[in-house]
Amino acid sequence: MDTFALVVTIGVALGFTYTNGFHDSANAIATSVSTRALTPRAALAMAAVMNLAGAFLGSGVAKTVSKGLIETPHGNRGMWILFAALVGAIVWNLITWYFGLPSSSSHALFGGMVGAALAGGIGVLWDGVVDKVVIPMFVSPVVGLVAGYLVMVVILWMFRRANPHKAKRGFRIAQTVSAAAMALGHGLQDAQKTMGIVVLALVIADVQAADDAIPLWVKIACAVMLSLGTYAGGWRIMRTLGRKIIELDPPQGFAAETTGASIMFGSAFLFHAPISTTHVITSAIMGVGATKRVNAVRWGVAKNIILGWFITMPAAALVAAISFWLVNLAFVN
């Protein structure tokens, strides 16, 4: 196995994690910043620390990514397939970040893996893709929407006689906790996705067996890169989530973050399903906003975001396939 190919692929995987951090940092903190519960810089610092902590909480999602989506490729060709998958994901992350569209880094990665695998002539484990990616992709936003709505209804009922100003002040403080939980869930989900890719690269290179534990250096490297990317910020996407969908107040922000964090922890620990933090928090914000009145949610912005969800996997798959053909042309043939 070419060591150069392994080093390059791991380097690109860590680069993807960095883009994931600044692309998805908005998911954890947009609601807290928009309600002024936290300043942007304080929110980013908190999210970076909690992302780092979340990366060490489990390994179920990483195993799904490394063993459950595509057949394990072999040799240099297999390494270039992995490299192309990452390029597809990074390019789509950068495009959607530039336009401020909160698309899913997770589904960009999965789309890249499928596209590169098909271009490289290795098998896609379609049952795994459907069970662990496609079904959660549709179910998690519905759960986020309904749960966000219900949580907000409960909050409105519980605090119906409270002084509005005192309640909002209390929820601003509570949002610090809910935003931290959201960032912890993001680290749990998204750092593990890259861990799974790095482990797959190590298996292809015969450095370790598929069933071996994730090396500590892999966990640390992925966690640190995700945190650095998070601290770099994602201001464009933060504006979309925090302001353009609906003007949030502290109780709504708390409800959305609590809903999002609960779904992420549940999916990671119960189902080992790598869901999208973007999908969950966006749908939770919509559900929370709909309790005010249905037309309080700017459904036109929501429609554009949902369109981005459906485009992400095919677009990343196409970029990954083109990347593989170019790499194949340059290095393999």
Side-chain angles (χ1 to χ4, degrees), residues 143-200:
V143 173
L145 187 75
V146 174
Y149 182 88
L150 294 176
V151 169
M152 193 63 214
V153 166
V154 170
I155 288 173
L156 289 170
W157 184 82
M158 287 176 66
F159 292 88
R160 66 192 184 281
R161 293 192 179 90
N163 180 294
H165 295 294
K166 284 184 179 178
K168 284 187 178 181
R169 195 159 56 243
F171 275 108
R172 274 204 179 93
I173 296 167
Q175 263 199 278
T176 308
V177 178
S178 60
M182 188 76 199
L184 192 70
H186 182 247
L188 170 66
Q189 279 279 344
D190 285 42
Q192 281 194 55
K193 290 161 192 169
T194 310
M195 288 180 207
I197 291 291
V198 175
V199 165
L200 188 54

Side-chain angles (χ1 to χ4, degrees), residues 125-147:
L125 304 177
W126 292 110
D127 285 349
V129 171
V130 170
D131 291 346
K132 298 294 186 181
V133 178
V134 176
I135 291 175
M137 182 173 79
F138 287 102
V139 171
S140 60
V142 174
V143 173
L145 187 75
V146 174

